[in-house]
Amino acid sequence: MNTQEVATRLVELCRQGENMQALKELYDQNIVSKEMPGMPNEVTSGIDAVIRKSEDWHASVEEYHGGEISEPVIAENHFSCAMKMDCTFKEQGRMQIEEVCVYQVNDGKITEEQFFYSMPNE
């Protein structure tokens, strides 16, 4: 798949709530995932660790109220999407989160992802 096809498939799976399927189908074995500096799991490497990180995040959500993902913007082997989520977390209460997600694609797989966001004031 080229970058456009990977991006389109990622958006499709996320809109269906199939985020774990996206990881298994579209991510490279050596994926590097980056959160904002100082956040837990700031840099996570390898598909197994990234899957665990995602499972841990989902386990921290008490209730998912909704969300959306934009159409992807493509630039050669990179693409970005804006995501919005409205979740109640077990330890932190309800939060509305907005982030920009940037992905790098090589040989038809996502090899790097980075998330940019501000945490809501507590």
Side-chain angles (χ1 to χ4, degrees), residues 53-111:
K53 177 180 104 165
S54 187
E55 289 170 343
D56 290 347
W57 187 88
H58 286 287
S60 74
V61 175
E62 184 175 306
E63 187 175 354
Y64 184 75
H65 305 285
E68 59 187 67
I69 182 171
S70 70
E71 289 298 316
V73 175
I74 313 297
E76 290 190 25
N77 69 324
H78 289 83
F79 71 94
S80 64
C81 300
M83 288 190 190
K84 295 181 183 180
M85 292 170 279
D86 182 2
C87 303
T88 299
F89 291 93
K90 293 176 182 173
E91 302 295 323
Q92 300 170 310
R94 190 167 181 173
M95 294 181 168
Q96 287 78 39
I97 302 167
E98 262 187 89
E99 62 187 353
V100 172
C101 313
V102 179
Y103 301 91
Q104 180 176 317
V105 176
N106 292 302
D107 298 321
K109 295 287 185 179
I110 296 172
T111 56

Side-chain angles (χ1 to χ4, degrees), residues 6-85:
V6 170
T8 299
R9 182 70 176 145
L10 178 78
V11 169
E12 174 186 26
L13 289 169
C14 288
R15 287 179 178 163
Q16 294 170 358
E18 297 291 336
N19 300 56
M20 295 307 288
Q21 177 63 32
L23 290 173
K24 294 173 185 171
E25 181 180 323
L26 301 173
Y27 282 46
D28 188 79
Q29 289 297 309
N30 298 312
I31 178 71
V32 175
S33 179
K34 298 176 182 177
E35 297 290 336
M36 294 296 291
M39 294 304 295
N41 301 304
E42 187 174 329
V43 177
T44 305
S45 298
I47 190 65
D48 292 338
V50 171
I51 288 172
R52 267 193 313 280
K53 177 180 104 165
S54 187
E55 289 170 343
D56 290 347
W57 187 88
H58 286 287
S60 74
V61 175
E62 184 175 306
E63 187 175 354
Y64 184 75
H65 305 285
E68 59 187 67
I69 182 171
S70 70
E71 289 298 316
V73 175
I74 313 297
E76 290 190 25
N77 69 324
H78 289 83
F79 71 94
S80 64
C81 300
M83 288 190 190
K84 295 181 183 180
M85 292 170 279

